[in-house]
Structure formats: structure tokens, C-alpha cells
Amino acid sequence: MYRCVIRALIVDVALQRLIGPSGAARTAVVATALSHIAHYLAVLALYRLSVNVFGRDTATQRLICFLSAVLHVICPAGAFLSAPYGESLFSFLNITGFYVYSSSFLDNKAGKRLSGDVKLLVAAILFSAATAVRSNGILSGILYAYDALLQLRRVWCQRLSIDACAHLSVIIISGCVIALGLVVPQIVAYSTYCVEDDASRPWCQWLVPSIYRYVQGHYWYVGMAVKHRKTHY
């Protein structure tokens, strides 16, 4: 997904006039600019998330919210967050997803069921987009799995109601939306590299084809099935 965003920005005519027609230079400038913008927006989203979690009624609470945002600016991963890399975009989408999710929790707590369910679904879309950028974003789905278990327990132990079943349905649909962030890139990769027999890749023949696992094992030398290689430093 990160590469798709970069390509979409590169074809913009205004950008071509601004930084020239050179493909490599244009890609580097656009990707670096996107990383900085996403990093800045992630800082703002983290501040809003901190406000939802800690509040801002007292000076101490406001200080905690401010420090959480500042520490994200100077975090050790700053080089990756500023480089033409997907880390900053993932961070922005994931943190914004947590902010919207926390807003959903507050709305549900205040009795605003419809607003809470809408935000719950929006948060799932953001988590799904983050998962499409980096596959470990799928871990955000744990929140929805936990919510589903709690809601299922309420439905089972308490009197069955339309509102409870509707909320459970929203949670399940949201979890499926997050899963799409992992499944869709796999389908695209399989249709690109595995449909034609002449250009088929080794991972296409696996019981569960996974381009993520193949790239990690073949190029990054990580994973449970990868043995130590002398060429890896």
C-alpha cells in the first residue's frame, strides 16, 4: 500500500512541475515528504489519544499528554520515521486508529451507541489500512477479538436485545475489515506472481501461499523456518 500511495502522488502534474521529471529524484522527494507529513500527523493523533486516555482537566494530565507527543517526535526510530519508508505512514494510521477506537469507547460509555459503533468501524478501516502497510498491524485486531468475547458474554448472560446483537455485529464486521488489510495484499500478490506457470514463484506452491513469509525468509533471513546463514550480518 505504501508503494501505491507513492505512485499516486508521483503522477500528480503539480509535483512533476515542482521537482522535475526524474523518476528516482521524484520518488525520493515524494516519499520523504510523505514520511514527514505522516510523522507530524501521527504526533497530533497521539496527543489526542493521550487526551482520551488520561484526560486534560488538570495540569498534570495535560503535561502527560504533551510529553507523550514530544517523546514520539524524538523516539529512537526517528531515522525510519523521516526516511522514505512505510514506518511513519503505518504509525500515523495505527495511532489514529487507536484514537478513533478510544473515542468510540468513550461514546459507548456515554450512551452514544450509534456514534460509538460508527467510530468503531472507522477505526477498523484505519487499522486495516495500517495492516496493508505493515502486516504486524493485524495485531490491532486483538482489541476487537476481546470486545467480541465481552459482548458475546453479555449477550449470553443477560437478556437478549437488539442493541446488544447489533453492537456485536459491528464488532465482528470491524474485525473482518481489519483482516482484509492482510488478505487483500496476499490475493493481489498471488494473482500477480502465481497465475502464470512460467513466472510462478516458489511460495506459490505452498499449502498456504504467503508472500510475507517468503520475503522474510528469502531476503530478510528471519522466521521460524530459516536457518542461520553465514552471509547474514
Side-chain angles (χ1 to χ4, degrees), residues 107-119:
D107 283 354
N108 286 325
K109 190 176 180 180
K112 302 176 182 178
R113 179 68 68 185
L114 179 59
S115 175
D117 287 346
V118 170
K119 289 181 180 179

Side-chain angles (χ1 to χ4, degrees), residues 34-48:
L34 176 63
S35 294
H36 280 80
I37 293 172
H39 183 35
Y40 172 71
L41 294 176
V43 172
L44 299 181
L46 181 58
Y47 176 80
R48 298 302 305 176

Side-chain angles (χ1 to χ4, degrees), residues 119-190:
K119 289 181 180 179
L120 196 66
L121 186 57
V122 172
I125 294 173
L126 291 168
F127 287 139
S128 181
T131 304
V133 176
R134 295 198 64 183
S135 59
N136 56 358
I138 194 68
L139 295 176
S140 302
I142 295 176
L143 290 171
Y144 290 82
Y146 179 74
D147 285 346
L149 291 176
L150 288 181
Q151 189 64 19
L152 185 62
R153 181 176 178 272
R154 294 191 186 101
V155 172
W156 181 265
C157 297
Q158 300 176 5
R159 188 176 63 180
L160 189 64
S161 66
I162 297 177
D163 288 342
C165 293
H167 185 57
L168 179 60
S169 299
V170 171
I171 295 174
I172 295 174
I173 292 173
S174 299
C176 294
V177 169
I178 297 176
L180 288 177
L182 187 66
V183 174
V184 171
Q186 295 282 356
I187 295 175
V188 172
Y190 187 88

Side-chain angles (χ1 to χ4, degrees), residues 58-78:
T58 66
T60 301
Q61 291 174 326
R62 291 192 292 271
L63 179 61
I64 292 175
C65 297
F66 175 75
L67 288 177
S68 65
V70 171
L71 290 175
H72 185 62
V73 175
I74 59 175
C75 70

Side-chain angles (χ1 to χ4, degrees), residues 38-39 42-43 45 72 81 86-97 130 133-134:
H39 183 35
V43 172
H72 185 62
L81 296 173
E87 186 69 32
S88 58
L89 182 59
F90 169 79
S91 178
F92 163 63
L93 292 170
N94 209 44
I95 292 176
T96 305
V133 176
R134 295 198 64 183

